[in-house]
Amino acid sequence: MHSAEPSSSIPSATPAPASPPQRSSRRRRVLLVLLISFASLIVLAAIGILVWANVGVMQAESGPLAKVRTNPAVSIHETPDSFILSPADGASGTGLVFIPGAKVSADAYLYKLSGVVVKSGLTVVVTKPILNLAFFDQRPLTTFTNAAPDVDTWFVGGHSLGGVRACQYAAEPDVSGLILLGSYCANDLAEVDTRALSLSGSADLLSTPDKIMDAAHLLPTATTFFPIEGANHARFGDYGVQAGDGVASLDSSIVRDVITAEVDSFIRTG
């Protein structure tokens, strides 16, 4: 008998290791995919912010806006950056750069601020914040003061989030004072040599009286606090009802009179 010869096994093929050029090409493809994905996320986030910032902007009420537009004692000039309110006669050479609250149209403040324009001869520049949000607007103060070259003395102010931004401008040496309507500071002005006026509303459930007083230590030593009984957050402008706010019991025209009297007194005592 012939002995069976052992069967020879065929070795399995093993893939050749990738050459350096192949590995480099694979890495580039992976990196490209990651970069495209990251760029797409950034674009989507930017679109989301743009949509959110421009949807649901609270517009000026037509009645108060018509009153100020037809007032012969007040001149209104609109630029791409702001609305400029000035007295038709007797400008005082003093101005106020005023910053609107978050997602509130700039012209919603024209009627409330027009009283002090007539009474004090004040020039008021109401800014148009980038994306309707003051914290996105990092333009220098001169963007707005340059719009009124005849003004020699400048105050800054704002409502709600606009007031928070105004507090940052208030630290600048050429600013004579700060005016807050339903707002408070996030930066420390306690050691800054300036003055401030803080008007609040007893029915304000957004910038509540407690929140304003909790942040009072950040304001200059020379700060006047004036609570308006019966005013809510939205009463500092004319844009209707604001979500989360309290209910105002004080008429809008009376709030305007209080703002006029207190701002006039604050500016004159400077």
Side-chain angles (χ1 to χ4, degrees), residues 143-183:
T143 302
F144 312 108
T145 58
N146 287 345
D150 294 334
V151 172
D152 301 314
T153 303
W154 283 103
F155 291 79
V156 294
H159 173 228
S160 193
L161 185 63
V164 177
R165 180 69 179 111
C167 290
Q168 296 173 338
Y169 285 137
E172 298 185 13
D174 293 334
V175 173
S176 296
L178 170 67
I179 298 170
L180 299 176
L181 307 186
S183 186

Side-chain angles (χ1 to χ4, degrees), residues 38-173:
F38 184 66
S40 299
L41 287 174
I42 292 176
V43 170
L44 288 173
I47 292 172
I49 291 172
L50 286 170
V51 171
W52 177 80
N54 289 283
V55 171
V57 175
M58 291 168 277
Q59 302 296 328
E61 294 179 301
S62 58
L65 188 57
K67 287 181 181 179
V68 67
R69 288 193 181 279
T70 56
N71 186 343
V74 179
S75 172
I76 302 175
H77 176 62
E78 184 177 1
T79 75
D81 299 317
S82 62
F83 287 94
I84 303 167
L85 290 173
S86 56
D89 295 300
S92 66
T94 300
L96 167 66
V97 173
F98 187 88
I99 307 171
K103 299 180 74 171
V104 180
S105 179
D107 56 358
Y109 296 94
L110 300 187
Y111 177 68
K112 281 294 194 306
L113 296 171
S114 64
V116 74
V117 172
V118 176
K119 183 176 179 62
S120 310
L122 187 71
T123 297
V124 180
V125 179
V126 184
T127 73
K128 297 178 180 178
I130 293 172
L131 295 179
N132 300 299
L133 295 166
F135 62 78
F136 281 139
D137 197 343
Q138 297 301 310
R139 289 175 292 182
L141 186 59
T142 52
T143 302
F144 312 108
T145 58
N146 287 345
D150 294 334
V151 172
D152 301 314
T153 303
W154 283 103
F155 291 79
V156 294
H159 173 228
S160 193
L161 185 63
V164 177
R165 180 69 179 111
C167 290
Q168 296 173 338
Y169 285 137
E172 298 185 13

Side-chain angles (χ1 to χ4, degrees), residues 64 67 111-112 115 235 237-238 250-260:
K67 287 181 181 179
Y111 177 68
K112 281 294 194 306
R235 275 289 190 261
D238 294 289
L250 195 62
D251 187 77
S252 181
S253 63
I254 297 177
V255 175
R256 178 177 181 267
D257 291 343
V258 174
I259 292 172
T260 299

Side-chain angles (χ1 to χ4, degrees), residues 196-236:
L197 171 66
S198 174
L199 303 184
S200 59
S202 66
D204 189 336
L205 295 185
L206 297 174
S207 295
T208 65
D210 285 345
K211 288 180 181 178
I212 288 173
M213 295 315 298
D214 286 345
H217 66 283
L218 298 173
L219 288 170
T221 304
T223 295
T224 300
F225 294 92
F226 192 95
I228 305 176
E229 189 65 33
N232 65 357
H233 198 69
R235 275 289 190 261
F236 290 110

